Amino acid sequence: MINKEVAKMLVKQINLELHSGYLYMEFANFYEEKNLPGFAHWYVVQAGEEYEHAMKIRKFLLDANEKVTFSALADTDKGFKTPKDPLVAGLKHEQFITASIYAILEKAIAVKDHLTVEFLQWFVKEQGEEETNAQANIDKLEMVGTSGSALYLLDKEMGHRED
Ligand code: OFO
């Protein structure tokens, strides 16, 4: 039903999506430590989204009768110093994930795996949103600058994220 090499790339993508969630939970750990519970919440919600992305790919593969197995997750980035550091790392990470999705899509196009090409359209759109959100978080924090009270309010706003 789907091309074997493409299926292999999708299995790897499951690992990357789970790793994204792992990474974002590490961001949340950092923000908790910095007394920014709103930012921590935002990334806990984001980690949940990443889990959903992984499960979406898993289901697609299983529905196509492909074998799915999991492998170890890579370690997370640590050593952040300022509240902006994880946000910048988050944008870079999403750009990396977008490139990975594009690589699978390009392979699927090359081998005429139309089912996967169609399936990945959702991820193409989603990655556009992920990068926009990551950039928006950086922009907001830059706007706030070093003002403690503005950061407090921004943290409150981040804490309102529902999905
Ligand atoms: Fe799954 O979108 Fe972020 O990584």
Side-chain angles (χ1 to χ4, degrees):
M1 232 163 145
I2 61 179
N3 177 273
K4 292 290 166 203
E5 274 180 64
V6 171
K8 239 193 223 168
M9 292 171 93
L10 285 168
V11 169
K12 262 198 196 155
Q13 189 65 31
I14 295 177
N15 184 279
L16 291 182
E17 299 291 343
L18 290 172
H19 178 253
S20 297
Y22 198 34
L23 187 64
Y24 292 148
M25 284 307 298
E26 195 72 90
F27 288 9
N29 294 339
F30 171 79
Y31 286 122
E32 288 289 358
E33 197 189 305
K34 293 286 172 202
N35 286 320
L36 291 167
F39 279 86
H41 168 81
W42 199 95
Y43 277 104
V44 169
V45 174
Q46 184 61 35
E49 237 189 48
E50 299 302 349
Y51 182 77
E52 283 172 21
H53 296 169
M55 293 307 107
K56 209 177 174 77
I57 300 170
R58 174 180 177 270
K59 186 172 184 320
F60 175 72
L61 286 165
L62 292 176
D63 287 349
N65 271 326
E66 290 296 332
K67 187 178 164 73
V68 175
T69 56
F70 295 149
S71 46
L73 298 179
D75 203 356
T76 55
D77 293 344
K78 292 172 190 71
F80 301 124
K81 287 188 173 60
T82 71
K84 190 176 162 186
D85 292 344
L87 303 184
V88 172
L91 175 61
K92 242 181 101 185
H93 181 73
E94 286 305 330
Q95 287 164 342
F96 162 73
I97 293 294
T98 300
S100 179
I101 293 286
Y102 284 8
I104 306 171
L105 179 59
E106 280 155 24
K107 179 74 186 174
I109 291 169
V111 298
K112 298 186 170 47
D113 180 344
H114 297 294
L115 191 60
T116 301
V117 170
E118 201 278 329
F119 170 71
L120 287 176
Q121 297 312 304
W122 184 91
F123 280 89
V124 168
K125 191 164 166 270
E126 178 69 10
Q127 280 313 119
E129 286 170 18
E130 297 279 74
E131 287 191 30
T132 300
N133 292 340
Q135 183 63 59
N137 286 347
I138 295 172
D139 294 345
K140 283 182 203 167
L141 197 66
E142 279 178 349
M143 221 185 290
V144 161
T146 51
S147 153
S149 54
L151 181 58
Y152 175 79
L153 290 175
L154 176 58
D155 186 62
K156 273 223 165 326
E157 184 200 307
M158 296 291 276
H160 289 138
R161 178 175 180 183
E162 282 172 9
D163 54 20

